[in-house]
Amino acid sequence: MKAPAFDYVRVSSVNEAIALLQTHGDDAKILAGGQTVMATLNMRLSNPAVLVDISPIAALKRIAVQGNTLHVGALVTHSEIEASGVIREHAPLLSMAVPHIAHKAIRNMGTWGGSLAYADPAAEWPACAIALNATLVAQGPQGVRKIPANQFFLDLYTTALAADELLIDVEIPIRTPQQVVAFNELARRHGDYAIAGIAACAQREGEVLRDPRFVFFAVASTPFQATKAQAVVNGKVLTNSVVDEAVNALRGELEPLADLTSSSATKLHLSTVLLQRAIHALSAGH
Ligand SMILES: Cc1cc2nc3c(=O)[nH]c(=O)nc-3n(C[C@H](O)[C@H](O)[C@H](O)COP(=O)(O)OP(=O)(O)OC[C@H]3O[C@@H](n4cnc5c(N)ncnc54)[C@H](O)[C@@H]3O)c2cc1C
């Protein structure tokens, strides 16, 4: 199918983009890498009057460390994350996750900010952002505000961004020497969206994991942080019985949404497998 007719405006600053969002309200849509927007237009699932192309805004393309914070700008592409030594050093969870996102051609165009703003519950980046305790930086007519990742994803394809706000940057605490991370997903074919996935992070002290974060994706309408399973693991020496207890806690707190190919029971079973693998990977110190 072909996209419906729309106006197209290419902007070179955040302020220009915000002004257009204010003028056009719900009739405007941001275009970043276009890997989701163009598909929804072509399938006539959305019908904006004007597309605001933010891809020329150089200020949103930086990967930089300032003090103890890694900044990843909204227009950084998935491929740039994949190639970045700075990200491998300071946020290795992102380097582990990125090969699972679609295929190379899509990763070359699609952006980190576009994925976070779109808030697909099966996407990898929202779960990673929560696992890494990231803060999302939004800019609107009133200025800049910061939103913790665990408060950003409100519902299916729904975020805390206002209609006239742009996601401009993400702040990630840089890796501490004790930080261990794990990422895993189960998909029908490599590059497909996951049936179930996990992004995990913890501080390892000897045989003990502290402050573990287990964030599942593709199982609910938003990323799902398994707080009960986290509490079981936190501060304990990891024995088989602790892992079993964490799996039972997950069964008690997660009731996955079925999708076209997988039932809720299948997703729950896969999530328990992913949790066990993540705990073992974290305790092995990756
Ligand atoms: C075949 C295929 C397979 C895919 N597989 C995966 C996968 O396995 N995992 C995965 O995570 N993704 C997957 N994707 C999606 C891909 O990662 C997209 O790149 C991503 O979802 C959107 O990024 P984008 O830059 O292309 O955003 P766009 O398509 O340009 O925009 C997406 C949405 O976000 C809004 N938006 C974009 N940037 C901003 C911003 N800075 N501030 C506010 N709003 C903004 C847009 O208005 C739009 O609503 C796949 C896509 C395709 C076509």
Side-chain angles (χ1 to χ4, degrees):
M1 282 173 79
K2 278 189 182 166
F6 53 83
D7 287 337
Y8 169 85
V9 187
R10 207 169 148 80
V11 297
S12 54
S13 75
V14 171
N15 285 337
E16 264 181 274
I18 293 168
L20 285 162
L21 292 178
Q22 275 190 291
T23 306
H24 295 280
D26 285 346
D27 286 336
K29 197 172 227 355
I30 296 291
L31 176 69
Q35 297 306 291
T36 300
V37 164
M38 295 318 295
T40 61
L41 288 176
N42 289 341
M43 288 188 276
R44 306 237 166 176
L45 294 171
S46 86
N47 191 9
V50 53
L51 274 191
V52 180
D53 183 355
I54 61 169
S55 63
I57 306 178
L60 305 190
K61 296 181 184 177
R62 69 168 186 159
I63 298 174
V65 176
Q66 279 177 325
N68 289 332
T69 304
L70 170 68
H71 294 263
V72 185
L75 284 177
V76 172
T77 65
H78 308 313
S79 285
E80 285 163 346
I81 289 177
E82 199 166 11
S84 169
V86 173
I87 289 198
R88 245 189 314 284
E89 183 180 349
H90 296 294
L93 181 65
L94 303 186
S95 311
M96 285 179 184
V98 68
H100 296 272
I101 299 177
H103 303 284
K104 191 66 185 160
I106 291 159
R107 294 201 292 274
N108 286 342
M109 298 294 294
T111 66
W112 151 256
S115 172
L116 292 165
Y118 190 60
D120 187 319
E124 287 79 357
W125 289 149
C128 290
I130 295 172
L132 291 175
N133 207 10
T135 301
L136 287 83
V137 184
Q139 188 171 337
Q142 267 73 48
V144 171
R145 69 184 178 113
K146 297 188 176 185
I147 309 158
N150 64 0
Q151 294 169 26
F152 185 79
F153 305 99
L154 302 183
D155 205 343
L156 196 66
Y157 306 117
T158 307
T159 71
L161 282 179
D164 54 5
E165 278 183 321
L166 211 61
L167 177 64
I168 57 168
D169 191 22
V170 180
E171 299 177 350
I172 301 171
I174 61 170
R175 179 185 200 175
T176 61
Q178 297 76 29
Q179 188 192 71
V180 282
V181 291
F183 183 91
N184 203 339
E185 72 174 52
L186 299 165
R188 285 158 73 89
R189 294 166 306 193
H190 186 83
D192 283 3
Y193 276 104
I195 302 169
I198 187 170
C201 180
Q203 305 296 316
R204 193 169 65 121
E205 292 170 15
E207 291 175 33
V208 168
L209 295 178
R210 295 207 187 276
D211 192 21
R213 289 168 165 258
F214 303 133
V215 188
F216 290 86
F217 53 98
V219 295
S221 56
T222 61
F224 177 82
Q225 189 168 0
T227 53
K228 292 190 173 151
Q230 289 175 184
V232 168
V233 169
N234 192 19
K236 302 224 180 80
V237 173
L238 286 172
T239 58
N240 287 342
S241 73
V242 170
V243 177
D244 289 347
E245 213 188 308
V247 165
N248 281 336
L250 181 66
R251 286 206 180 97
E253 64 182 329
L254 174 61
E255 210 176 311
L257 289 177
D259 61 24
L260 286 176
T261 55
S262 304
S263 67
S264 175
T266 300
K267 283 180 180 259
L268 182 57
H269 173 70
L270 296 180
S271 299
T272 64
V273 172
L274 289 169
L275 178 64
Q276 292 173 70
R277 288 183 186 172
I279 294 172
H280 288 303
L282 293 176
S283 58
H286 297 302

